[in-house]
Amino acid sequence: MSATVAIARVLLPAGLEQLQQRFEVRIGGLDAARERVLELVHDADVLVADPAVPVDEQLLDAAGPQLKLVANFAVGYDNIDLEACAGRGVLVTNTPDVLTNATAELALALSLSAARFLSDAESDLRQGRWPGWDPAAYRGLELSGAVVGVIGLGRIGTRYAELCRGFSSELVYASPTARPEAERSLGARRLELEELLGSADFISLHAPSRPDTHHLIDAAALEKVQPHAVLVNTSRGPLVDLDAVAAALDEGRLGAAGLDVYEGEPQVPESIRAAPRAVLTPHIGSATVKARDGMARTVAANVIAVLEGREPPNPVAI
Ligand code: DGY
């Protein structure tokens, strides 16, 4: 009897077809409700999850003791209760590397577009509110030569820093551990978080969502930033207190924000949707053809390895 793979929502064909050729595959669909996922996972050998699928005790119970692997269709795995998986001997895998360029490029795009108020400017034009060329209007910030503060210098943060170096930016970073290699190759200086917040023109978040990074950017942190600073978040929503960012934008204490991820997404609070100088995208950091196909193939490679009794290529350390 072939093994069963339950895909809680969807997996793109680049990975799905490989699984369908080998195993029995059940697919929940993009709009699968929790009840449907609980049903689907029953008796499965593998669960394919994604950032919108909380993998908790309830879901692991519904799966049953034969479950071997939770393969996340994402590099971030804050949707998964790692301890609960470890307690049951369930492996967890993710999809690193293949989305590094895509996500770093979106962070760069948000940095540039927020700094130049592109959302407000475009919406003024589309809504017929553009009275004509005005030398005093929409005067933004240049990335060239700016101080760029990267919070979290992992794969994506490092790639973002490399891209910014092309703009002759001065790079500073905050990280729990020093990155001597990045300091050498990028000329990046490590600062304490407070110092980075006070000195950076651009602040880009690339840290994982964990209890110690929850609301890393809150009202108190925003009091430290320069009033022209641009805040960018392509990591995870819970790192940022959105109401505090909206208030800082409204009151002119923050220059601009480029956000791709939100606490409680897909709900996005009205305060930030209505805030000025904010460019908001719907969690599309890894949304390139190359990255998303690469992620799907990586999911398949992990599932196939585990079901064939081999070590998966991308285990998440628990
Ligand atoms: C990830 O892989 O963690 C991304 O956020 C999904 O786009």
Side-chain angles (χ1 to χ4, degrees), residues 96-134:
D97 300 320
V98 289
L99 45 57
T100 298
N101 282 327
T103 310
E105 286 177 18
L106 185 78
L108 178 65
L110 287 174
S111 302
L112 293 166
S113 54
R116 301 295 295 274
F117 315 133
L118 289 198
S119 277
D120 292 0
E122 188 189 12
S123 126
D124 286 350
L125 180 147
R126 285 182 189 265
Q127 309 296 323
R129 289 190 299 258
W130 181 35
W133 191 80
D134 173 353

Side-chain angles (χ1 to χ4, degrees), residues 51 72-78 95-96 99 103 156 234-236 260-261 265 283-287 292 295:
N72 215 31
F73 187 10
V75 67
Y77 43 81
D78 52 307
T95 65
L99 45 57
T103 310
I156 298 170
T234 54
S235 60
R236 281 292 183 264
D260 184 52
V261 286
E265 61 188 45
H283 201 150
I284 56 169
S286 61
R292 288 276 164 87
M295 291 163 70

Side-chain angles (χ1 to χ4, degrees), residues 160-179:
Y160 170 77
E162 281 171 9
L163 296 174
C164 289
R165 208 169 55 137
F167 291 79
S168 310
S169 304
E170 181 187 332
L171 297 170
V172 294
Y173 75 101
S175 159
T177 48
R179 305 280 179 185

